[in-house]
Amino acid sequence: EGISDSQYLKILSASANERLSEGASGAFMFFCGGGEFIVKTIRQREARVLHGFLRTYSRYLKRNRSSLLCRFLGSYSLEMFS
């Protein structure tokens, strides 16, 4: 189910065909994997909301495999300027 760790790392580390975009919210999005994957920055508050409903969301997607809702492959925290 999903993709393997090695596939995930390969997609995120590939240097061909990525592009950066700034969304309407001011978030940065990084498109990779031929457009199949998006890495998006979110604020801490948004991350807390996401983490709060992710278990229920995941159960829904497992029961509704043909759903067009996006799949989350990871959530990471990165502090750039301390």
Side-chain angles (χ1 to χ4, degrees):
E1 188 172 330
I3 66 172
S4 70
D5 290 346
S6 60
Q7 288 173 307
Y8 185 59
L9 289 173
K10 183 178 178 182
I11 289 164
L12 290 178
S13 63
S15 61
N17 298 326
E18 306 97 357
R19 63 186 201 275
L20 276 172
S21 174
E22 187 173 347
S25 67
F28 288 98
M29 295 183 286
F30 176 77
F31 298 84
C32 54
E36 287 186 81
F37 301 93
I38 301 171
V39 176
K40 180 179 184 276
T41 60
I42 61 175
R43 300 199 185 283
Q44 188 175 21
R45 180 171 171 245
E46 294 170 298
R48 281 194 301 267
V49 171
L50 172 65
H51 294 166
F53 72 77
L54 209 48
R55 190 176 310 269
T56 303
Y57 191 83
S58 176
R59 279 195 299 264
Y60 174 84
L61 290 174
K62 286 179 182 178
R63 288 192 308 266
N64 299 277
R65 294 192 180 276
S66 61
S67 173
L68 298 177
L69 293 174
C70 67
R71 274 62 173 169
F72 294 94
L73 297 178
S75 175
Y76 308 95
S77 176
L78 174 65
E79 186 175 332
M80 297 186 63
F81 305 105
S82 56

